[in-house]
């Protein structure tokens, strides 16, 4: 695949534009229109359900015929269906665009296929430019589209010998400040942060995301799973995302699939599970985890309080194999970032 320098610059800009859009049921998408000489003619991004898609938003800034012979650089393959708005592939064809470059293929059964439609109309369509960066932006939405549930990251902190707490239950702090700061950064990237009622009652967390000591501009919605009620004065009731009602999303159930289905319906595609060994193990046991973040501290605790309990592995042949994507030193600690093998989640 051959991409010009102008197209690479335009894709980097399109990714910046995409991040301006809201996290919702729809993906965050950005678009840049380039002249045949590589100059930027127009920019656009998707501002939420029911509004113009990024490509159409960019085209709207051009006069009639202004995109003829141009190249459209888009973070996601142009859609091929009519919903609240028309198909972007058709809009690009009608505008006379000669070439379309995109980062990530749309996996939707209904919305996908835009590149094929473009090619059938004689438009050069090529994907894969900055695919890794594009996937980081829309990967959770793709998971929701493909699996019918949000993208789930399960996080825990543990000692070197695999314990989440000392024998008396104390666990603050196994890891150091750099690891905790990394957790807050990842909370800020999530749409929802999930704990169980056991963790809620034991630790009374607020579940906010803080960056450099201040509340992050974007806050994950706090979610509590379990049959015990949220206490009237629980810290989570003062979370900024539920400040108006004082009510976190609470699910008095052990049906994790049903919880995820409801979260997806609410447009929450990035779910961060931070609820202790019982809840982490339940998500893994149910095959509802996509990524694992294990923060490992160079301390030994011994005792019974392991970081995970039963995840449904009865023999070594049934072990849940992970693909470790990175091992990141964080002060004295190490973060193992891994994904589940396809078919294990």
């Amino acid at each position: 695949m051959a991409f010009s320098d102008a197209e690479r610059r335009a894709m980097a800009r399109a990714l910046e534009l995409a991040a301006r859009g809201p996290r919702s049921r729809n993906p965050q998408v950005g678009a840049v229109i380039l002249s045949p000489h590589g100059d930027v003619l127009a920019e656009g991004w998707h501002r939420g359900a029911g509004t113009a898609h990024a490509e159409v938003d960019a085209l709207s800034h051009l006069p009639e015929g202004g995109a003829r012979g141009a190249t459209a650089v888009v973070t996601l393959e142009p859609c091929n269906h009519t919903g609240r708005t028309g198909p972007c592939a058709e809009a690009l064809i009608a505008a006379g665009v000669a070439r379309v470059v995109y980062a990530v293929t749309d996996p939707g059964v209904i919305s996908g296929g835009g590149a094929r439609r473009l090619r059938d109309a004689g438009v050069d369509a090529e994907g894969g430019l900055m695919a890794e960066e594009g996937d980081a932006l829309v990967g959770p939405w793709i998971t929701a589209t493909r699996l019918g549930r949000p993208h789930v990251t399960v996080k825990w902190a543990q000692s070197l010998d695999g314990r989440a707490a000392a024998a008396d239950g104390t666990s603050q702090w196994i890891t150091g400040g750099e690891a905790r700061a990394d957790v807050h950064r990842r909370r800020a990237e999530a749409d929802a942060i999930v704990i169980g009622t056991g963790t809620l009652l034991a630790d009374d967390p607020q579940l906010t995301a803080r960056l450099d000591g201040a509340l992050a501009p974007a806050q994950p919605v706090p979610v509590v799973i379990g049959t015990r009620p949220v206490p009237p004065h629980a810290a989570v009731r003062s979370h900024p995302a539920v400040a108006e009602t004082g009510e976190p999303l609470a699910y008095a159930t052990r049906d994790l699939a049903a919880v995820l289905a409801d979260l997806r319906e609410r447009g929450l595609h990035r779910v961060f599970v931070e609820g202790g060994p019982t809840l982490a193990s339940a998500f893994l046991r149910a095959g509802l985890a996509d990524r694992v973040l294990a923060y490992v501290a160079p301390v030994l605790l011994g005792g019974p309080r392991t970081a995970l309990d039963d995840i449904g592995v009865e023999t070594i042949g049934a072990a849940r194999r992970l693909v470790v994507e990175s091992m990141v030193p964080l002060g004295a600690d190490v973060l193992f970032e891994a994904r589940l093998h396809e078919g294990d989640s």
Side-chain angles (χ1 to χ4, degrees):
M1 294 180 287
F3 300 108
S4 69
D5 290 341
E7 289 170 348
R8 293 180 187 279
R9 290 192 296 270
M11 183 61 77
R13 175 59 177 165
L15 288 164
E16 292 178 2
L17 294 169
R20 297 182 181 181
R23 297 174 182 175
S24 67
R25 294 180 180 86
N26 301 92
Q28 295 171 290
V29 182
V32 174
I33 309 296
L34 297 177
S35 75
H37 300 292
D39 299 319
V40 175
L41 298 176
E43 300 178 339
W45 70 91
H46 183 50
R47 291 168 170 79
T51 66
H53 287 189
E55 302 93 318
V56 175
D57 181 43
L59 291 171
S60 71
H61 299 297
L62 295 174
E64 185 174 353
R68 192 161 304 281
T71 295
V73 179
V74 194
T75 57
L76 181 67
E77 177 187 8
C79 69
N80 190 35
H81 80 295
T82 300
R84 295 187 187 183
T85 60
C88 293
E90 187 60 42
L92 292 168
I93 293 168
V97 167
R99 175 170 163 83
V100 174
V101 173
Y102 58 94
V104 180
T105 300
D106 187 333
V109 175
I110 297 175
S111 59
R116 183 178 63 252
R117 185 169 183 177
L118 288 164
R119 294 185 191 109
D120 288 346
V123 178
D124 179 21
E126 196 166 357
L129 175 58
M130 298 182 69
E132 185 174 341
E133 293 87 343
D135 187 68
L137 186 71
V138 299
W141 174 82
I142 288 175
T143 298
T145 300
R146 182 169 56 87
L147 300 180
R149 62 162 176 79
H151 182 278
V152 176
T153 297
V154 176
K155 168 264 174 185
W156 67 81
Q158 67 172 64
S159 63
L160 193 60
D161 57 342
R163 268 58 181 180
D168 65 354
T170 56
S171 61
Q172 295 183 336
W173 298 99
I174 290 177
T175 55
E178 290 187 36
R180 296 197 296 275
D182 188 75
V183 170
H184 277 272
R185 180 180 66 80
R186 293 171 187 274
R187 283 184 179 184
E189 295 172 350
D191 298 328
I193 181 168
V194 181
I195 62 169
T197 50
T199 297
L200 177 76
L201 297 173
D203 298 338
D204 193 26
Q206 191 179 14
L207 302 181
T208 52
R210 292 183 173 273
L211 302 177
D212 297 322
L215 286 173
Q219 289 288 326
V221 174
V223 177
V224 181
I225 301 176
T227 55
R228 289 174 288 182
V230 178
H233 302 295
V236 72
R237 291 187 181 277
S238 64
H239 189 287
V242 297
E244 291 186 9
T245 64
E247 294 290 340
L249 291 178
Y251 298 89
T253 179
R254 291 185 173 85
D255 187 344
L256 299 181
V259 172
L260 291 178
D262 187 66
L263 294 179
R264 185 200 178 201
E265 182 61 25
R266 294 171 183 269
L268 303 174
H269 292 158
R270 301 168 174 87
V271 171
F272 194 71
V273 177
E274 198 176 342
T278 300
L279 193 62
S281 300
F283 271 94
L284 288 164
R285 186 168 60 248
L288 296 173
D290 301 293
R291 301 186 74 78
V292 163
L293 299 177
Y295 294 84
V296 181
V299 297
L300 301 175
L301 294 176
R305 297 181 179 270
T306 56
L308 293 177
D309 48 43
D310 177 24
I311 60 170
V313 175
E314 296 182 355
T315 179
I316 192 65
R320 307 299 298 277
R321 303 291 178 179
L322 306 177
V323 178
V324 176
E325 296 185 331
S326 66
M327 292 180 288
V328 183
L330 295 168
D333 309 314
V334 177
L335 165 62
F336 288 82
E337 185 169 7
R339 59 179 170 83
L340 277 297
H341 278 285
E342 195 74 24
D344 283 349
S345 61

